[in-house]
Amino acid sequence: LYALGALCNYALGFAGAQGAGIAIERPDRVAELPPAEFPHLTAAAERYAEHLSDAAFAYGLDRLIAGLAHDPR
């Protein structure tokens, strides 16, 4: 039951973010963050929109399923 909830919440959350177009058109805003506080995010600013891609969804889903496979519940 927990695994089903995790998978559903992942899929629904991702779909909601994709549907809302959350900040994907504005990688410049990510680049404007203070690099000292957000070094990894500012370094990835040009590729930021990729986090809502089909490939990103598949990657996250694979990681989630792999983690659930190791859970003895």
Side-chain angles (χ1 to χ4, degrees):
L1 187 57
Y2 292 129
L4 177 61
L7 291 168
C8 286
N9 286 322
Y10 176 75
L12 291 171
F14 198 93
Q18 241 183 357
I22 296 175
I24 59 172
E25 295 87 18
R26 299 295 312 266
D28 55 312
R29 296 207 50 193
V30 176
E32 292 171 0
L33 293 170
E37 294 179 50
F38 304 97
H40 301 293
L41 192 54
T42 55
E46 290 302 314
R47 296 181 50 214
Y48 183 70
E50 293 176 27
H51 85 284
L52 290 177
S53 68
D54 291 343
F57 176 80
Y59 176 83
L61 186 59
D62 287 345
R63 302 289 73 75
L64 182 57
I65 291 171
L68 291 171
H70 293 293
D71 188 339
R73 285 185 266 173

